[in-house]
Amino acid sequence: MPGSFSTRSFFLITLGVSILLALMPVLWPQLDILVASYFFQLDPPINPSRWVWVTYLNEYTPDLFRGLALFLTAGWILVSLLRRSHRLGIILAFTGLSLMLGPGFVTWAVKEHHLRARPMDVVEFGGQRQFTPALQQTNQCQDNCAFTSGHVACGFFLASLMLLHPRRRWAWLGLGIGAGFLLGIARMAVGAHWLSDVLWAFPITLASSALVWLILNFFYKHGSQTQRFK
């Protein structure tokens, strides 16, 4: 991608590509079954579910990012009350509020709307629930459902930080994609999520972060201090 691309163009292209990738298991639902089947076979050639780091990621990721979001948001409020640097304020506000909105509220709302069963719970893998393709509302789950993954959204969120550091946008994008897919492997390995749950976490998180960025730019009207989305 040319270096002359604006932050907006870079971000929107990233969002568009993430949507196209996420549509693959929507168009071919058997892709979800195929990927999940690998992890549910008796003895996979590579079995991440036995790896220590997978256990730690599954166990502690939500608490870590939840605590980080609260800490950053509290820091933003304190900086605002003390009327300190606007630049520091927007960094704290964007990071804290985006984590709360994307990996937090939006992910929860999507789960509650779709009510999709997790791989471990469907008939194909020894459960009693029915498999439902991505983006299709169903009634196969009552609480903490599959679509989409909050864990993975926390990892992909790191890509959103390109809005704060445009000169490091490739680095943030790479870090976000790497973290998101590591968490995706960790979640799929234990039967907690489908491939589509992982892929859709990316555009949902990016869109949520962009909304926070635009709102903050509306209130912080000094473009040189907030690096407006352009």
Side-chain angles (χ1 to χ4, degrees), residues 184-201:
I185 290 172
R187 299 304 284 155
M188 290 188 294
V190 296
H193 282 292
W194 306 97
L195 175 64
S196 54
D197 300 334
V198 172
L199 294 177
W200 276 103

Side-chain angles (χ1 to χ4, degrees), residues 158-172:
L158 296 175
S160 301
L161 297 181
M162 70 172 75
L163 296 176
L164 291 175
H165 303 102
R167 293 182 180 179
R168 299 288 184 269
R169 55 195 182 189
W170 279 108
W172 284 117

Side-chain angles (χ1 to χ4, degrees), residues 1-223:
M1 187 176 298
S4 60
F5 273 15
S6 67
T7 303
R8 174 181 293 178
S9 298
F10 189 90
F11 189 91
L12 292 178
I13 289 173
T14 301
L15 177 60
V17 171
S18 71
I19 292 173
L20 290 176
L21 290 174
L23 283 172
M24 292 176 59
V26 176
L27 298 175
W28 297 285
Q30 285 303 311
L31 188 58
D32 271 335
I33 298 292
L34 180 64
V35 173
S37 296
Y38 172 84
F39 295 107
F40 276 94
Q41 63 181 303
L42 185 60
D43 188 20
I46 300 176
N47 189 1
S49 65
R50 297 179 180 177
W51 299 347
V52 174
W53 65 267
V54 168
T55 301
Y56 280 111
L57 287 179
N58 282 315
E59 184 70 24
Y60 298 113
T61 296
D63 290 338
L64 175 62
F65 279 86
R66 191 179 298 118
L68 181 62
L70 292 173
F71 175 79
L72 292 169
T73 304
W76 167 52
I77 294 173
L78 180 61
V79 167
S80 299
L81 290 174
L82 296 176
R83 297 184 179 181
R84 299 293 183 180
S85 167
H86 283 186
R87 173 62 180 161
L88 177 59
I90 199 169
I91 290 174
L92 294 172
F94 173 74
T95 310
L97 296 178
S98 294
L99 278 171
M100 286 187 177
L101 181 63
F105 176 77
V106 174
T107 297
W108 170 82
V110 172
K111 287 175 180 286
E112 292 298 305
H113 175 75
H114 284 84
L115 301 178
R116 186 189 199 189
R118 296 178 183 273
M120 67 179 75
D121 297 324
V122 301
V123 172
E124 287 84 348
F125 303 117
Q128 299 180 341
R129 304 288 184 178
Q130 298 299 316
F131 166 75
T132 309
L135 301 186
Q136 181 176 319
Q137 187 177 12
T138 185
N139 61 351
Q140 294 300 306
C141 173
Q142 295 180 344
D143 181 59
N144 194 24
C145 306
F147 189 83
T148 182
S149 173
H151 283 69
V152 177
C154 290
F156 282 140
F157 164 76
L158 296 175
S160 301
L161 297 181
M162 70 172 75
L163 296 176
L164 291 175
H165 303 102
R167 293 182 180 179
R168 299 288 184 269
R169 55 195 182 189
W170 279 108
W172 284 117
L173 177 60
L175 183 61
I177 291 175
F181 277 102
L182 280 178
L183 284 160
I185 290 172
R187 299 304 284 155
M188 290 188 294
V190 296
H193 282 292
W194 306 97
L195 175 64
S196 54
D197 300 334
V198 172
L199 294 177
W200 276 103
F202 199 10
I204 288 174
T205 303
L206 289 178
S208 300
S209 295
L211 177 61
V212 172
W213 187 246
L214 292 172
I215 292 174
L216 288 174
N217 272 281
F218 177 79
F219 288 103
Y220 286 81
K221 296 182 179 180
H222 304 290

